[in-house]
Amino acid sequence: MGNIILIGYMGCGKTTVGNCIADLVKTYTFADTDALIVARQGRSISEIFETDGEQEFRMMETALLEELLAEKSDKQILATGGGMPLREENKRLLRRLGTVFYMRVTPETVYHRVQNDTTRPLLQCDNPMERIREMIRTRGPVYEAAADAVLDVDSLTPRGAADKILEITDRIGANK
C-alpha cells in the first residue's frame, strides 16, 4: 500500500475519514494539506485568501505537493483542500503521490455539514447552497479525472468510508 490521497468538495469528510484510516492502519500517518499550509503561514485559509488571493493559495498548495513528493513518503494519508485538484499540475502531482480517492457527496449533504462554518471563504456569499451546487457541478468532472477511484460517501459513516478505501487500496495494490 502506498500513500492514500483523499480529494473532494469541502465537507465531504476527507479529514474525518483520513484520521479514521490512520487509526485503523497504525503504520500510516495523516496530514491535511490545508492544516499544513495554515501552520506554515501562521494564518488561516480565510486570511490567506483575503490578503494574497486564491491564486497565491493555489500556488502554496502546489509547492506543498512538490515538497511531499520530494520526501518520498509511502505511508501517508493526505486530505487535500477542495480546490487542490483544480490546477492541472496538482492533478499530476497528486497521482504521483499515491492512490487518489474522490469522495463524492451531494450539495445537500455538504450544505447540511458546513452551513454554520464561517471559516470557509468560498461560502461567504448570499446564497451558499446555490454556490455549493454550482461548484460541485463544475468541480465534479475535475475530481473524477484526477481520481483512481470514486466513492459516494453521502450514506457512509466515516468508518464505512475508511473501510471501503482500504479495501479498494488493497485491490489496486494487488493488481499493480
Side-chain angles (χ1 to χ4, degrees), residues 36-37 104:
L36 292 171
I37 291 171
R104 187 165 49 197

Side-chain angles (χ1 to χ4, degrees), residues 84-152:
M84 185 177 277
L86 299 179
R87 291 184 83 185
E88 201 59 42
E89 183 177 5
N90 290 353
K91 281 195 283 192
R92 285 190 299 275
L93 292 169
L94 289 167
R95 280 289 207 34
R96 288 178 52 203
L97 267 171
T99 304
V100 180
F101 290 87
Y102 168 26
M103 295 176 57
R104 187 165 49 197
V105 68
T106 64
E108 293 75 19
T109 298
V110 171
Y111 184 74
H112 175 74
R113 291 178 182 175
V114 303
Q115 63 186 338
N116 297 318
D117 187 344
T118 58
T119 67
R120 304 198 184 251
L122 295 176
L123 295 184
Q124 304 313 306
C125 61
D126 291 335
N127 189 342
M129 183 61 188
E130 185 52 38
R131 183 84 184 262
I132 292 167
R133 279 191 183 106
E134 178 57 29
M135 290 178 78
I136 288 178
R137 186 171 31 257
T138 58
R139 288 183 177 190
V142 175
Y143 293 149
E144 287 180 25
D148 294 299
V150 178
L151 187 65
D152 290 309

Side-chain angles (χ1 to χ4, degrees), residues 18 27 39 45 48-49 51-52 59 62-63 70 74 90 112-113 126 130 165 168:
T27 57
I45 302 292
I48 296 168
F49 266 63
T51 306
D52 302 342
M59 290 179 6
T62 301
D74 69 345
N90 290 353
H112 175 74
R113 291 178 182 175
D126 291 335
E130 185 52 38
I165 288 168
I168 294 167

Side-chain angles (χ1 to χ4, degrees), residues 6-11 14-15 30-49 54 56-62 64-65 68 77-85 90 94 117 119-122 139 143:
L6 306 177
I7 67 170
Y9 194 70
M10 69 177 88
K14 298 178 299 276
T15 299
F30 172 76
D32 180 295
T33 60
D34 283 351
L36 292 171
I37 291 171
V38 165
R40 290 174 181 197
Q41 292 293 312
R43 52 197 171 128
S44 71
I45 302 292
S46 294
E47 290 170 318
I48 296 168
F49 266 63
E54 183 176 357
E56 182 64 27
F57 177 74
R58 300 296 172 213
M59 290 179 6
M60 291 176 192
E61 289 178 319
T62 301
L64 176 62
L65 290 177
L68 291 171
I77 303 140
L78 190 65
T80 66
M84 185 177 277
N90 290 353
L94 289 167
D117 187 344
T119 67
R120 304 198 184 251
L122 295 176
R139 288 183 177 190
Y143 293 149

